[in-house]
Amino acid sequence: MDVDVAVIGAGISGLSTAVDLARRGHGVIAIERHARPGGKAQSERIDGFLMEHGPSSVVAAGATPLLPQYFTAEHDRVDLEPGVRRRYLMADGRLHGIAVHPLAFLTSNFLSKRGRLRLLAEAIVPSRGAGMEETVAAFCRRRFGHEFADRVIDPLVGGMFAGTAESLSVAATFPRLVELESNYGSILRGVFIGRVSGKRMPARRLFSWRDGIGTLPTALAAQLGSRLKVGVTVRRIAAHPHGFVLTTAGAGSIRARAVVIATQPHVAAELLANVDATAAKAAAQIAAPPIAVVFLGYERAQIAHPLDGIGYLASTGEHRRVNGSLFCSTMFRYRAPDGFVSLAAYIGGDRAPELARLAPDELIDIARHEFAMLLDARGEPVLARVRHWPRGLPQYRVGHRELVAALNGISERQPGLFLTGNYLDGVSVAACIAHGRKTADDVDAQLRRPSTFGSFRQDHTAGRLKGTGS
Ligand SMILES: Cc1cc2nc3c(=O)[nH]c(=O)nc-3n(C[C@H](O)[C@H](O)[C@H](O)COP(=O)(O)OP(=O)(O)OC[C@H]3O[C@@H](n4cnc5c(N)ncnc54)[C@H](O)[C@@H]3O)c2cc1C
């Protein structure tokens, strides 16, 4: 098979890239090893409950401008239920409700008076200037004080990245914070100046679809039609004077002028080994510790807690086995039948990778025990399911930006070979869509450039591959 572009991997990143390239008229195929596209984005309806195996919502500010152009299921979109404006944080063994508002920590008693004063003092903490790359924990303790860093930032990082604030790079995970410090000398001052000068951050709301996040890959796959090849695994990439030759299990050899690797980083490392040792080495250093999602359905009456929020997060210092939980049917009421509620527990990640490998029954027990203690959940859940992700979220640890620089250099070293995925410029679904589209721009520009190598497609229609004598 000869194509302009072969995209390897049909998660959100690969699908976004492939759909964008197809819309620009390029002969593209997306190759997915599983029978179902979507990668981590998988939704499943079971007995009237909707389980999200991976992502459960998209941040509106980031993704909305990107979706409508090629999105067909916009009418099925559901926004976070109005009135859900609270998150719970766990401290001292119990849950504390905090409004989702920038000033919430200053007005609530979640932090001690001393902790709140220290938080405010951020405005006068001298900026550090250039120096060694800092972890999220070091940066936040220096700027906001220990209490805020340990009780707020640490659980947030556990929830957003399934990682630890002690190992993640602040510049790689929260570049905006570093930028604010460098431009304004203080994050609080930077935010304040931004607000009074009218440069407000757009309001960030969460949304999904009536049938869950899986709607997104399904809609993207429909755009690709027969250009999406599922159940095909790419085993090897070899450079060729006219582009690249892919060896696959399931579709023979595929020749392409350009190739986009849109897999998880460990697969990218294997595929790159043969073509670009520098990028292969960098990709191999990006860890993605395992994570398990435990989904439990209950009758509403079984749970005493009001479940009036998005969910809860626990800091490392609480030594809990569940990093955090989402109140799924509070966020989106379509996720449980009337009279029932659904909860998801996230276990493992970089905090405790060994827990994510436990058997389903053990994981269900952990989640049940946790919900009994914190939410006063009584009795057997009516539904229990577990999803193991042996490779969860990529960790943007200290040094990550250097790895990404080495990976980004690939297009110079190997013209026609591109990378996209959640390990490059943000892990969220919105970030994957944005990076996928940017990659499509780069591929498009490359294919339009007077080429140093010919076209497989043209050569093929001429009945002969230039330069190979075949
Ligand atoms: C538990 C969990 C919860 C999350 N929650 C949220 C959330 O609420 N909101 C949010 O925005 N983000 C969330 N995320 C993050 C987000 O879901 C992911 O970062 C994103 O979906 C990754 O997309 P991707 O396409 O880059 O990678 P993947 O989804 O990993 O896709 C890679 C694809 O490549 C395929 N592949 C691999 N090797 C080959 C091969 N050799 N040949 C062919 N195909 C191959 C794989 O089968 C897979 O389909 C969550 C992630 C997890 C794990």
PDB file of all heavy atoms in Angstrom, residues 8-13 31-34 38-40 54-57 232-234 262-264 267 293 346 389 393 421-422 427-429 432, ligand 1:
ATOM      1  N   ILE A   8       0.659   6.505  12.820  1.00  0.00           N
ATOM      2  CA  ILE A   8       0.686   5.267  13.620  1.00  0.00           C
ATOM      3  C   ILE A   8       0.069   5.554  14.984  1.00  0.00           C
ATOM      4  O   ILE A   8       0.607   6.339  15.767  1.00  0.00           O
ATOM      5  CB  ILE A   8       2.132   4.758  13.795  1.00  0.00           C
ATOM      6  CG1 ILE A   8       2.821   4.635  12.438  1.00  0.00           C
ATOM      7  CG2 ILE A   8       2.135   3.431  14.540  1.00  0.00           C
ATOM      8  CD1 ILE A   8       4.312   4.335  12.540  1.00  0.00           C
ATOM      9  N   GLY A   9      -1.065   4.918  15.275  1.00  0.00           N
ATOM     10  CA  GLY A   9      -1.757   5.117  16.551  1.00  0.00           C
ATOM     11  C   GLY A   9      -2.986   5.976  16.339  1.00  0.00           C
ATOM     12  O   GLY A   9      -2.897   7.077  15.781  1.00  0.00           O
ATOM     13  N   ALA A  10      -4.154   5.458  16.748  1.00  0.00           N
ATOM     14  CA  ALA A  10      -5.397   6.221  16.585  1.00  0.00           C
ATOM     15  C   ALA A  10      -6.018   6.533  17.934  1.00  0.00           C
ATOM     16  O   ALA A  10      -7.177   6.249  18.200  1.00  0.00           O
ATOM     17  CB  ALA A  10      -6.371   5.475  15.683  1.00  0.00           C
ATOM     18  N   GLY A  11      -5.197   7.112  18.835  1.00  0.00           N
ATOM     19  CA  GLY A  11      -5.734   7.765  20.030  1.00  0.00           C
ATOM     20  C   GLY A  11      -6.183   9.155  19.590  1.00  0.00           C
ATOM     21  O   GLY A  11      -6.244   9.458  18.390  1.00  0.00           O
ATOM     22  N   ILE A  12      -6.476  10.023  20.554  1.00  0.00           N
ATOM     23  CA  ILE A  12      -6.932  11.376  20.214  1.00  0.00           C
ATOM     24  C   ILE A  12      -5.871  12.107  19.381  1.00  0.00           C
ATOM     25  O   ILE A  12      -6.187  12.783  18.400  1.00  0.00           O
ATOM     26  CB  ILE A  12      -7.245  12.177  21.504  1.00  0.00           C
ATOM     27  CG1 ILE A  12      -8.389  11.518  22.287  1.00  0.00           C
ATOM     28  CG2 ILE A  12      -7.569  13.629  21.186  1.00  0.00           C
ATOM     29  CD1 ILE A  12      -9.713  11.487  21.576  1.00  0.00           C
ATOM     30  N   SER A  13      -4.593  11.942  19.747  1.00  0.00           N
ATOM     31  CA  SER A  13      -3.522  12.659  19.028  1.00  0.00           C
ATOM     32  C   SER A  13      -3.458  12.226  17.569  1.00  0.00           C
ATOM     33  O   SER A  13      -3.438  13.059  16.653  1.00  0.00           O
ATOM     34  CB  SER A  13      -2.162  12.395  19.688  1.00  0.00           C
ATOM     35  OG  SER A  13      -2.173  12.772  21.033  1.00  0.00           O
ATOM     36  N   ILE A  31      -3.278   4.051  11.472  1.00  0.00           N
ATOM     37  CA  ILE A  31      -3.124   2.622  11.764  1.00  0.00           C
ATOM     38  C   ILE A  31      -3.240   2.416  13.270  1.00  0.00           C
ATOM     39  O   ILE A  31      -2.499   3.038  14.044  1.00  0.00           O
ATOM     40  CB  ILE A  31      -1.738   2.131  11.286  1.00  0.00           C
ATOM     41  CG1 ILE A  31      -1.541   2.493   9.809  1.00  0.00           C
ATOM     42  CG2 ILE A  31      -1.581   0.635  11.507  1.00  0.00           C
ATOM     43  CD1 ILE A  31      -0.087   2.453   9.373  1.00  0.00           C
ATOM     44  N   GLU A  32      -4.163   1.558  13.683  1.00  0.00           N
ATOM     45  CA  GLU A  32      -4.403   1.337  15.117  1.00  0.00           C
ATOM     46  C   GLU A  32      -4.313  -0.159  15.420  1.00  0.00           C
ATOM     47  O   GLU A  32      -4.953  -0.962  14.757  1.00  0.00           O
ATOM     48  CB  GLU A  32      -5.782   1.887  15.505  1.00  0.00           C
ATOM     49  CG  GLU A  32      -6.265   1.508  16.890  1.00  0.00           C
ATOM     50  CD  GLU A  32      -5.294   1.872  18.010  1.00  0.00           C
ATOM     51  OE1 GLU A  32      -4.805   3.014  18.038  1.00  0.00           O
ATOM     52  OE2 GLU A  32      -5.011   0.987  18.852  1.00  0.00           O
ATOM     53  N   ARG A  33      -3.546  -0.483  16.439  1.00  0.00           N
ATOM     54  CA  ARG A  33      -3.350  -1.919  16.714  1.00  0.00           C
ATOM     55  C   ARG A  33      -4.575  -2.567  17.361  1.00  0.00           C
ATOM     56  O   ARG A  33      -4.792  -3.760  17.222  1.00  0.00           O
ATOM     57  CB  ARG A  33      -2.111  -2.133  17.577  1.00  0.00           C
ATOM     58  CG  ARG A  33      -2.236  -1.607  18.972  1.00  0.00           C
ATOM     59  CD  ARG A  33      -1.008  -1.907  19.794  1.00  0.00           C
ATOM     60  NE  ARG A  33      -1.072  -1.131  21.023  1.00  0.00           N
ATOM     61  CZ  ARG A  33      -0.119  -1.095  21.923  1.00  0.00           C
ATOM     62  NH1 ARG A  33       0.981  -1.772  21.738  1.00  0.00           N
ATOM     63  NH2 ARG A  33      -0.258  -0.378  23.003  1.00  0.00           N
ATOM     64  N   HIS A  34      -5.363  -1.764  18.095  1.00  0.00           N
ATOM     65  CA  HIS A  34      -6.555  -2.344  18.717  1.00  0.00           C
ATOM     66  C   HIS A  34      -7.732  -2.322  17.746  1.00  0.00           C
ATOM     67  O   HIS A  34      -7.711  -1.605  16.746  1.00  0.00           O
ATOM     68  CB  HIS A  34      -6.928  -1.579  19.989  1.00  0.00           C
ATOM     69  CG  HIS A  34      -5.947  -1.826  21.107  1.00  0.00           C
ATOM     70  ND1 HIS A  34      -5.639  -3.084  21.550  1.00  0.00           N
ATOM     71  CD2 HIS A  34      -5.202  -0.971  21.844  1.00  0.00           C
ATOM     72  CE1 HIS A  34      -4.742  -3.007  22.523  1.00  0.00           C
ATOM     73  NE2 HIS A  34      -4.449  -1.735  22.718  1.00  0.00           N
ATOM     74  N   GLY A  38      -9.257   5.331  19.607  1.00  0.00           N
ATOM     75  CA  GLY A  38      -9.506   6.181  20.782  1.00  0.00           C
ATOM     76  C   GLY A  38      -8.395   6.118  21.813  1.00  0.00           C
ATOM     77  O   GLY A  38      -8.261   7.010  22.635  1.00  0.00           O
ATOM     78  N   GLY A  39      -7.596   5.036  21.799  1.00  0.00           N
ATOM     79  CA  GLY A  39      -6.532   4.924  22.802  1.00  0.00           C
ATOM     80  C   GLY A  39      -7.121   4.982  24.197  1.00  0.00           C
ATOM     81  O   GLY A  39      -8.026   4.208  24.532  1.00  0.00           O
ATOM     82  N   LYS A  40      -6.651   5.947  25.009  1.00  0.00           N
ATOM     83  CA  LYS A  40      -7.126   6.059  26.393  1.00  0.00           C
ATOM     84  C   LYS A  40      -8.586   6.518  26.450  1.00  0.00           C
ATOM     85  O   LYS A  40      -9.252   6.330  27.465  1.00  0.00           O
ATOM     86  CB  LYS A  40      -6.287   7.088  27.165  1.00  0.00           C
ATOM     87  CG  LYS A  40      -4.792   6.822  27.195  1.00  0.00           C
ATOM     88  CD  LYS A  40      -4.464   5.776  28.202  1.00  0.00           C
ATOM     89  CE  LYS A  40      -2.968   5.549  28.375  1.00  0.00           C
ATOM     90  NZ  LYS A  40      -2.209   5.324  27.150  1.00  0.00           N
ATOM     91  N   GLY A  54     -10.854   6.135  30.689  1.00  0.00           N
ATOM     92  CA  GLY A  54      -9.730   7.083  30.731  1.00  0.00           C
ATOM     93  C   GLY A  54     -10.247   8.474  31.029  1.00  0.00           C
ATOM     94  O   GLY A  54     -10.851   8.702  32.077  1.00  0.00           O
ATOM     95  N   PRO A  55     -10.056   9.424  30.082  1.00  0.00           N
ATOM     96  CA  PRO A  55     -10.503  10.793  30.357  1.00  0.00           C
ATOM     97  C   PRO A  55     -12.011  10.842  30.544  1.00  0.00           C
ATOM     98  O   PRO A  55     -12.746  10.085  29.908  1.00  0.00           O
ATOM     99  CB  PRO A  55     -10.087  11.566  29.102  1.00  0.00           C
ATOM    100  CG  PRO A  55      -9.911  10.549  28.036  1.00  0.00           C
ATOM    101  CD  PRO A  55      -9.481   9.295  28.733  1.00  0.00           C
ATOM    102  N   SER A  56     -12.450  11.764  31.420  1.00  0.00           N
ATOM    103  CA  SER A  56     -13.885  11.826  31.671  1.00  0.00           C
ATOM    104  C   SER A  56     -14.480  13.152  31.247  1.00  0.00           C
ATOM    105  O   SER A  56     -15.690  13.289  31.203  1.00  0.00           O
ATOM    106  CB  SER A  56     -14.167  11.569  33.144  1.00  0.00           C
ATOM    107  OG  SER A  56     -13.634  12.607  33.895  1.00  0.00           O
ATOM    108  N   SER A  57     -13.639  14.145  30.970  1.00  0.00           N
ATOM    109  CA  SER A  57     -14.171  15.427  30.504  1.00  0.00           C
ATOM    110  C   SER A  57     -13.071  16.177  29.765  1.00  0.00           C
ATOM    111  O   SER A  57     -11.894  15.842  29.867  1.00  0.00           O
ATOM    112  CB  SER A  57     -14.675  16.261  31.686  1.00  0.00           C
ATOM    113  OG  SER A  57     -13.626  16.477  32.598  1.00  0.00           O
ATOM    114  N   VAL A 232      -4.271  -3.409  13.210  1.00  0.00           N
ATOM    115  CA  VAL A 232      -2.989  -3.481  12.486  1.00  0.00           C
ATOM    116  C   VAL A 232      -1.902  -2.881  13.384  1.00  0.00           C
ATOM    117  O   VAL A 232      -2.055  -1.762  13.877  1.00  0.00           O
ATOM    118  CB  VAL A 232      -3.057  -2.680  11.158  1.00  0.00           C
ATOM    119  CG1 VAL A 232      -1.702  -2.672  10.466  1.00  0.00           C
ATOM    120  CG2 VAL A 232      -4.139  -3.246  10.243  1.00  0.00           C
ATOM    121  N   THR A 233      -0.841  -3.644  13.614  1.00  0.00           N
ATOM    122  CA  THR A 233       0.249  -3.156  14.470  1.00  0.00           C
ATOM    123  C   THR A 233       1.472  -2.845  13.621  1.00  0.00           C
ATOM    124  O   THR A 233       1.890  -3.685  12.817  1.00  0.00           O
ATOM    125  CB  THR A 233       0.632  -4.238  15.510  1.00  0.00           C
ATOM    126  OG1 THR A 233      -0.533  -4.565  16.254  1.00  0.00           O
ATOM    127  CG2 THR A 233       1.720  -3.747  16.460  1.00  0.00           C
ATOM    128  N   VAL A 234       2.022  -1.654  13.810  1.00  0.00           N
ATOM    129  CA  VAL A 234       3.266  -1.330  13.103  1.00  0.00           C
ATOM    130  C   VAL A 234       4.423  -1.894  13.915  1.00  0.00           C
ATOM    131  O   VAL A 234       4.545  -1.630  15.111  1.00  0.00           O
ATOM    132  CB  VAL A 234       3.425   0.197  12.909  1.00  0.00           C
ATOM    133  CG1 VAL A 234       4.767   0.517  12.262  1.00  0.00           C
ATOM    134  CG2 VAL A 234       2.278   0.736  12.074  1.00  0.00           C
ATOM    135  N   ALA A 262       2.183   8.440  16.549  1.00  0.00           N
ATOM    136  CA  ALA A 262       1.235   9.012  17.529  1.00  0.00           C
ATOM    137  C   ALA A 262       0.916   7.976  18.599  1.00  0.00           C
ATOM    138  O   ALA A 262      -0.225   7.844  19.035  1.00  0.00           O
ATOM    139  CB  ALA A 262      -0.034   9.467  16.815  1.00  0.00           C
ATOM    140  N   THR A 263       1.929   7.255  19.018  1.00  0.00           N
ATOM    141  CA  THR A 263       1.749   6.193  20.018  1.00  0.00           C
ATOM    142  C   THR A 263       2.189   6.698  21.391  1.00  0.00           C
ATOM    143  O   THR A 263       2.619   7.839  21.534  1.00  0.00           O
ATOM    144  CB  THR A 263       2.627   4.986  19.664  1.00  0.00           C
ATOM    145  OG1 THR A 263       3.993   5.406  19.770  1.00  0.00           O
ATOM    146  CG2 THR A 263       2.366   4.487  18.253  1.00  0.00           C
ATOM    147  N   GLN A 264       2.146   5.820  22.379  1.00  0.00           N
ATOM    148  CA  GLN A 264       2.702   6.125  23.688  1.00  0.00           C
ATOM    149  C   GLN A 264       4.234   6.211  23.535  1.00  0.00           C
ATOM    150  O   GLN A 264       4.799   5.611  22.614  1.00  0.00           O
ATOM    151  CB  GLN A 264       2.362   5.017  24.692  1.00  0.00           C
ATOM    152  CG  GLN A 264       0.883   4.723  24.828  1.00  0.00           C
ATOM    153  CD  GLN A 264       0.391   3.658  23.858  1.00  0.00           C
ATOM    154  OE1 GLN A 264       0.840   3.578  22.719  1.00  0.00           O
ATOM    155  NE2 GLN A 264      -0.533   2.846  24.310  1.00  0.00           N
ATOM    156  N   VAL A 267       6.387   2.977  22.915  1.00  0.00           N
ATOM    157  CA  VAL A 267       6.269   2.391  21.572  1.00  0.00           C
ATOM    158  C   VAL A 267       7.045   3.253  20.580  1.00  0.00           C
ATOM    159  O   VAL A 267       7.749   2.734  19.699  1.00  0.00           O
ATOM    160  CB  VAL A 267       4.788   2.281  21.131  1.00  0.00           C
ATOM    161  CG1 VAL A 267       4.697   1.649  19.749  1.00  0.00           C
ATOM    162  CG2 VAL A 267       3.971   1.500  22.128  1.00  0.00           C
ATOM    163  N   VAL A 293      -8.337   2.426  37.119  1.00  0.00           N
ATOM    164  CA  VAL A 293      -9.575   3.180  37.353  1.00  0.00           C
ATOM    165  C   VAL A 293     -10.612   2.190  37.885  1.00  0.00           C
ATOM    166  O   VAL A 293     -10.887   1.174  37.240  1.00  0.00           O
ATOM    167  CB  VAL A 293     -10.100   3.812  36.042  1.00  0.00           C
ATOM    168  CG1 VAL A 293     -11.330   4.674  36.320  1.00  0.00           C
ATOM    169  CG2 VAL A 293      -9.015   4.631  35.352  1.00  0.00           C
ATOM    170  N   TYR A 346      -9.163   6.579  41.346  1.00  0.00           N
ATOM    171  CA  TYR A 346      -7.923   6.484  40.568  1.00  0.00           C
ATOM    172  C   TYR A 346      -6.811   6.008  41.505  1.00  0.00           C
ATOM    173  O   TYR A 346      -6.537   6.643  42.529  1.00  0.00           O
ATOM    174  CB  TYR A 346      -7.598   7.840  39.931  1.00  0.00           C
ATOM    175  CG  TYR A 346      -8.690   8.243  38.953  1.00  0.00           C
ATOM    176  CD1 TYR A 346      -9.842   8.887  39.397  1.00  0.00           C
ATOM    177  CD2 TYR A 346      -8.602   7.896  37.614  1.00  0.00           C
ATOM    178  CE1 TYR A 346     -10.872   9.202  38.518  1.00  0.00           C
ATOM    179  CE2 TYR A 346      -9.619   8.205  36.723  1.00  0.00           C
ATOM    180  CZ  TYR A 346     -10.754   8.860  37.183  1.00  0.00           C
ATOM    181  OH  TYR A 346     -11.775   9.152  36.307  1.00  0.00           O
ATOM    182  N   TRP A 389      -4.488   0.452  33.272  1.00  0.00           N
ATOM    183  CA  TRP A 389      -3.666   1.029  32.203  1.00  0.00           C
ATOM    184  C   TRP A 389      -2.209   0.747  32.576  1.00  0.00           C
ATOM    185  O   TRP A 389      -1.661   1.419  33.455  1.00  0.00           O
ATOM    186  CB  TRP A 389      -3.881   2.543  32.078  1.00  0.00           C
ATOM    187  CG  TRP A 389      -5.240   2.947  31.586  1.00  0.00           C
ATOM    188  CD1 TRP A 389      -6.228   3.539  32.309  1.00  0.00           C
ATOM    189  CD2 TRP A 389      -5.756   2.811  30.253  1.00  0.00           C
ATOM    190  NE1 TRP A 389      -7.329   3.775  31.520  1.00  0.00           N
ATOM    191  CE2 TRP A 389      -7.065   3.338  30.247  1.00  0.00           C
ATOM    192  CE3 TRP A 389      -5.248   2.297  29.063  1.00  0.00           C
ATOM    193  CZ2 TRP A 389      -7.871   3.363  29.109  1.00  0.00           C
ATOM    194  CZ3 TRP A 389      -6.053   2.327  27.929  1.00  0.00           C
ATOM    195  CH2 TRP A 389      -7.338   2.852  27.957  1.00  0.00           C
ATOM    196  N   LEU A 393      -0.178   7.928  32.517  1.00  0.00           N
ATOM    197  CA  LEU A 393       0.157   9.244  31.968  1.00  0.00           C
ATOM    198  C   LEU A 393       1.668   9.466  31.953  1.00  0.00           C
ATOM    199  O   LEU A 393       2.359   9.142  32.927  1.00  0.00           O
ATOM    200  CB  LEU A 393      -0.500  10.333  32.819  1.00  0.00           C
ATOM    201  CG  LEU A 393      -2.004  10.465  32.605  1.00  0.00           C
ATOM    202  CD1 LEU A 393      -2.626  11.333  33.686  1.00  0.00           C
ATOM    203  CD2 LEU A 393      -2.288  11.055  31.232  1.00  0.00           C
ATOM    204  N   GLY A 421       1.657  13.337  20.410  1.00  0.00           N
ATOM    205  CA  GLY A 421       1.237  12.497  21.536  1.00  0.00           C
ATOM    206  C   GLY A 421       1.257  13.293  22.823  1.00  0.00           C
ATOM    207  O   GLY A 421       1.744  14.431  22.874  1.00  0.00           O
ATOM    208  N   ASN A 422       0.736  12.669  23.871  1.00  0.00           N
ATOM    209  CA  ASN A 422       0.537  13.390  25.129  1.00  0.00           C
ATOM    210  C   ASN A 422       1.822  13.582  25.933  1.00  0.00           C
ATOM    211  O   ASN A 422       1.775  14.157  27.010  1.00  0.00           O
ATOM    212  CB  ASN A 422      -0.524  12.679  25.976  1.00  0.00           C
ATOM    213  CG  ASN A 422      -0.104  11.278  26.360  1.00  0.00           C
ATOM    214  OD1 ASN A 422       0.966  10.810  25.959  1.00  0.00           O
ATOM    215  ND2 ASN A 422      -0.935  10.598  27.131  1.00  0.00           N
ATOM    216  N   VAL A 427      -0.832  16.789  28.579  1.00  0.00           N
ATOM    217  CA  VAL A 427      -1.444  15.457  28.614  1.00  0.00           C
ATOM    218  C   VAL A 427      -2.951  15.491  28.370  1.00  0.00           C
ATOM    219  O   VAL A 427      -3.555  14.451  28.113  1.00  0.00           O
ATOM    220  CB  VAL A 427      -1.195  14.736  29.966  1.00  0.00           C
ATOM    221  CG1 VAL A 427       0.278  14.534  30.208  1.00  0.00           C
ATOM    222  CG2 VAL A 427      -1.853  15.468  31.125  1.00  0.00           C
ATOM    223  N   SER A 428      -3.575  16.654  28.460  1.00  0.00           N
ATOM    224  CA  SER A 428      -5.036  16.682  28.385  1.00  0.00           C
ATOM    225  C   SER A 428      -5.509  16.362  26.968  1.00  0.00           C
ATOM    226  O   SER A 428      -4.746  16.478  25.997  1.00  0.00           O
ATOM    227  CB  SER A 428      -5.559  18.057  28.799  1.00  0.00           C
ATOM    228  OG  SER A 428      -5.223  18.992  27.805  1.00  0.00           O
ATOM    229  N   VAL A 429      -6.769  15.992  26.872  1.00  0.00           N
ATOM    230  CA  VAL A 429      -7.367  15.727  25.560  1.00  0.00           C
ATOM    231  C   VAL A 429      -7.233  16.969  24.679  1.00  0.00           C
ATOM    232  O   VAL A 429      -6.871  16.888  23.499  1.00  0.00           O
ATOM    233  CB  VAL A 429      -8.855  15.326  25.743  1.00  0.00           C
ATOM    234  CG1 VAL A 429      -9.596  15.332  24.420  1.00  0.00           C
ATOM    235  CG2 VAL A 429      -8.951  13.957  26.411  1.00  0.00           C
ATOM    236  N   CYS A 432      -3.797  17.296  23.381  1.00  0.00           N
ATOM    237  CA  CYS A 432      -3.521  16.296  22.331  1.00  0.00           C
ATOM    238  C   CYS A 432      -4.124  16.739  20.999  1.00  0.00           C
ATOM    239  O   CYS A 432      -3.507  16.583  19.941  1.00  0.00           O
ATOM    240  CB  CYS A 432      -4.081  14.929  22.725  1.00  0.00           C
ATOM    241  SG  CYS A 432      -3.204  14.164  24.101  1.00  0.00           S
TER     242      CYS A 432
HETATM  243  C1  LIG B   1      -7.095   7.269  33.696  1.00  0.00           C
HETATM  244  C2  LIG B   1      -6.915   8.511  32.862  1.00  0.00           C
HETATM  245  C3  LIG B   1      -7.751   9.597  33.063  1.00  0.00           C
HETATM  246  C4  LIG B   1      -7.604  10.754  32.292  1.00  0.00           C
HETATM  247  N1  LIG B   1      -8.473  11.803  32.478  1.00  0.00           N
HETATM  248  C5  LIG B   1      -8.425  12.875  31.656  1.00  0.00           C
HETATM  249  C6  LIG B   1      -9.445  13.874  31.698  1.00  0.00           C
HETATM  250  O1  LIG B   1     -10.405  13.781  32.477  1.00  0.00           O
HETATM  251  N2  LIG B   1      -9.354  14.918  30.833  1.00  0.00           N
HETATM  252  C7  LIG B   1      -8.332  15.030  29.931  1.00  0.00           C
HETATM  253  O2  LIG B   1      -8.304  16.009  29.172  1.00  0.00           O
HETATM  254  N3  LIG B   1      -7.356  14.083  29.851  1.00  0.00           N
HETATM  255  C8  LIG B   1      -7.395  13.007  30.673  1.00  0.00           C
HETATM  256  N4  LIG B   1      -6.449  12.008  30.560  1.00  0.00           N
HETATM  257  C9  LIG B   1      -5.356  12.181  29.593  1.00  0.00           C
HETATM  258  C10 LIG B   1      -5.763  11.851  28.151  1.00  0.00           C
HETATM  259  O3  LIG B   1      -6.784  10.902  28.158  1.00  0.00           O
HETATM  260  C11 LIG B   1      -4.588  11.258  27.361  1.00  0.00           C
HETATM  261  O4  LIG B   1      -3.430  12.030  27.539  1.00  0.00           O
HETATM  262  C12 LIG B   1      -4.917  11.191  25.865  1.00  0.00           C
HETATM  263  O5  LIG B   1      -6.141  10.528  25.645  1.00  0.00           O
HETATM  264  C13 LIG B   1      -3.769  10.485  25.147  1.00  0.00           C
HETATM  265  O6  LIG B   1      -4.026  10.415  23.769  1.00  0.00           O
HETATM  266  P1  LIG B   1      -2.887   9.953  22.755  1.00  0.00           P
HETATM  267  O7  LIG B   1      -3.532   9.791  21.439  1.00  0.00           O
HETATM  268  O8  LIG B   1      -1.718  10.873  22.837  1.00  0.00           O
HETATM  269  O9  LIG B   1      -2.348   8.543  23.311  1.00  0.00           O
HETATM  270  P2  LIG B   1      -3.106   7.153  23.477  1.00  0.00           P
HETATM  271  O10 LIG B   1      -4.506   7.374  23.867  1.00  0.00           O
HETATM  272  O11 LIG B   1      -2.249   6.344  24.374  1.00  0.00           O
HETATM  273  O12 LIG B   1      -3.119   6.533  22.004  1.00  0.00           O
HETATM  274  C14 LIG B   1      -2.024   5.868  21.416  1.00  0.00           C
HETATM  275  C15 LIG B   1      -2.589   4.864  20.426  1.00  0.00           C
HETATM  276  O13 LIG B   1      -1.518   4.252  19.709  1.00  0.00           O
HETATM  277  C16 LIG B   1      -1.858   2.884  19.507  1.00  0.00           C
HETATM  278  N5  LIG B   1      -0.633   2.126  19.209  1.00  0.00           N
HETATM  279  C17 LIG B   1       0.409   1.909  20.052  1.00  0.00           C
HETATM  280  N6  LIG B   1       1.355   1.189  19.435  1.00  0.00           N
HETATM  281  C18 LIG B   1       0.930   0.951  18.175  1.00  0.00           C
HETATM  282  C19 LIG B   1       1.497   0.268  17.059  1.00  0.00           C
HETATM  283  N7  LIG B   1       2.710  -0.302  17.117  1.00  0.00           N
HETATM  284  N8  LIG B   1       0.780   0.201  15.910  1.00  0.00           N
HETATM  285  C20 LIG B   1      -0.449   0.784  15.827  1.00  0.00           C
HETATM  286  N9  LIG B   1      -1.025   1.446  16.866  1.00  0.00           N
HETATM  287  C21 LIG B   1      -0.341   1.538  18.022  1.00  0.00           C
HETATM  288  C22 LIG B   1      -2.497   2.497  20.829  1.00  0.00           C
HETATM  289  O14 LIG B   1      -3.237   1.304  20.740  1.00  0.00           O
HETATM  290  C23 LIG B   1      -3.347   3.729  21.114  1.00  0.00           C
HETATM  291  O15 LIG B   1      -4.640   3.613  20.554  1.00  0.00           O
HETATM  292  C24 LIG B   1      -6.577  10.830  31.314  1.00  0.00           C
HETATM  293  C25 LIG B   1      -5.735   9.731  31.107  1.00  0.00           C
HETATM  294  C26 LIG B   1      -5.894   8.582  31.867  1.00  0.00           C
HETATM  295  C27 LIG B   1      -4.993   7.407  31.624  1.00  0.00           C
END
